[in-house]
Amino acid sequence: MSTYSVSDAAAAPAPRAAVTLSNLSGSYGIGLAASLAWLAFGLSCLYWPDVGDWSRTDSLGIGAIVIAAFVLFGTFGADYLGGPGEALRKRAPWLVALGALFTLWEVATAKFAWLPLPFFPPPQSILEVYTDDLPKLLDSVFASVKLQLGGYIIGATIGFVTGVSIGWSQKAGYWIHPVLRFIGPLPATAWLPIAFFSFPSSWSASTFLIALATGFPVTVLTWSGVASVSSAYYDVARTLGAKPSFLVLKVAIPAALPHVFVGLFMGLGSSFAVLVVAEMIGVKAGLGWYLQWAQGWAAYANMYAALIVMSLLCSGAITLLFRTRDRLLVWQKGVVKW
Amino acid sequence: MVVQSAAEAITYPAVGAELDIEGVSHAFDIDGATLPVLDNVSLAIAPGEFVALLGPSGCGKSTLLRLVAGLERPRAGVLREDETRITGPHPSRVVVFQDPTLFPWRSVWDNVALGLEAQGILKTQRHRVDDAIDLVGLSSFRNAYPHQLSGGMAQRVALARALVNDPKILVLDEPLGKLDSLTRIAMQSEIVALWQRKGFTTLLVTHDVEEALVLANRVIVLSDRPARIKADIAVQRPYPRHRGDPYLAELRKQILGLLGLEATW
């Protein structure tokens, strides 16, 4: 034990000093490599002729070279740039990898067509989608966000209230629990055919399905959260003069919140799946519909472009949820950082 | 601290309530069988008295406290606070449990504010929260969360959370049972100081004979389950008391004998 702590103490300062020294040469080196990788990407766009007909090759190449220049200045000016300089320094290894990957992608598709062409579009054709098909893409994003948000908020609210009532009231549990067991485990997409003809519009049907997919995990986890609150908390609150409403709102719910957030997270995941399927099958708007539409036209670049947007949106939604949780649950130790 | 004369130590300020336990019996149903825990316990506690309940582990001491707190109703008998029958919990009878049971999602200040908030009087009485936190010496920790506190600090917060309500009866359920011995000794004198200052009636459950003798002016020895009162011993000694006091040592020997542990003396 003592040898461990001694070697630990002796070893700890040494790498620290070494890191600061190597940081100077190392981070400049990595920054330089990042700049070179992006320069390579830009030059690869401009140097060889395209094997197909893409209008954005030159802009992409120039854009990449501009990025390379920014990375270069950022790297050597990092000390004067403060926060952004530090951020760049941290991300430099990723910039190297991305630059190299883009170069490879460019060369393998647009320049030498090593990958079969219509299925693997080059970067410039995806850029082309973002510039030329922007209005349609934005409309789809807006439609998806609106549908998802509406369904998710309804599902999460109903799930939360249901979960609290089952966890709190035996009578509510008696009636709701069997229904929950019967309906809950069914994948929400199984309701698709019924939902689409029984609801007045495909939008309301999809909202219902998203709410259903969200509601089940939120209900179950809120319920288990409320049910697992230690009775000692209630005893304390009661001896201090708490009424039942206080016990629910100020004891049961805050104590259950960590569980609730797990439910909200799971609900978000399953509702994304329902959203995309619903848009592909019934709704005539949204990113799922855009994907389907692009497939119909064999517009593979549009599909990749939409997939990237979709992934950014889903990841953004989860980030938002985790930020909210971190803010509300600061009192918890060791929460996972997303 | 000024040493008080014996006469001063047994006159109490009038803040505390009188507690009357009359013929109380209680039992639990476990797997269909009835397990009696309290058997016809009668005890009259004067306002401002500090009474310790001593008894073997699992004898029903804590059950008696839950009945006093109003968290449960007795199967037979009556409990009264100042002539009023106890039918449920009330902030005039606050319990400090063996575990601090602080709400982990609330800061120290918010934990202490709990009682006033639950009674809907926090808005006008915020200073009482600050006073209670000062009283237990945690002013610089008011914004800390429970996971940042040591065991002793957490138990102090629990004490402040109880005292902020100005209880007439303070119910202590082995509040120092899980603390290390040094913190424990320090907090014993703090509890005595608070009791002397505030004058509430105190009911302490403990299975530490020395703790009972250092703190209480009356020690009730309970029998094995179902608990009956075996002895009612007055501890006529001024505060602060000294652990080495031969009078207390003699009482300790006597009580250990009642608990069937005379051989360990």
Side-chain angles (χ1 to χ4, degrees), chain A residues 136-148:
Chain A
K136 197 190 239 165
L137 207 52
L138 279 183
D139 280 352
S140 303
V141 167
F142 185 70
S144 283
V145 170
K146 199 173 113 191
L147 184 58
Q148 166 71 23

Side-chain angles (χ1 to χ4, degrees), chain A residues 229-230 232-243 246 250-252 254-255 330-333, chain B residues 66 71 89-91 93-95 97 101-106 114-115 117-119 145 147 161 165:
Chain A
V229 177
S230 157
Y233 290 140
Y234 297 128
D235 283 349
V236 166
R238 283 173 63 211
T239 61
L240 295 171
K243 292 171 201 60
F246 188 92
K250 299 288 179 106
V251 184
V330 275
W331 52 271
Q332 268 196 317
K333 287 188 288 185
Chain B
R66 289 180 69 81
L71 290 169
H90 192 275
R93 282 170 272 118
V94 189
V95 191
F97 294 95
T101 29
L102 301 179
F103 290 11
W105 57 90
R106 285 173 167 246
L114 202 64
E117 193 181 329
Q119 295 155 48
Y145 281 99
H147 75 254
R161 180 173 66 185
N165 303 287

Side-chain angles (χ1 to χ4, degrees), chain B residues 78-151:
Chain B
V78 188
L79 295 103
R80 289 193 201 88
E81 176 193 359
D82 277 346
E83 318 282 307
T84 315
R85 191 170 177 157
I86 295 172
T87 53
H90 192 275
S92 70
R93 282 170 272 118
V94 189
V95 191
V96 177
F97 294 95
Q98 181 175 21
D99 288 308
T101 29
L102 301 179
F103 290 11
W105 57 90
R106 285 173 167 246
S107 66
V108 166
W109 198 93
D110 289 332
N111 262 292
V112 175
L114 202 64
L116 302 182
E117 193 181 329
Q119 295 155 48
I121 52 172
L122 179 61
K123 278 209 175 93
T124 53
Q125 309 273 309
R126 297 177 69 87
H127 61 278
R128 282 170 66 181
V129 179
D130 295 321
D131 293 348
I133 294 174
D134 292 346
L135 200 64
V136 295
L138 286 175
S139 320
S140 47
F141 287 91
R142 63 188 62 194
N143 294 321
Y145 281 99
H147 75 254
Q148 298 167 307
L149 304 177
S150 71

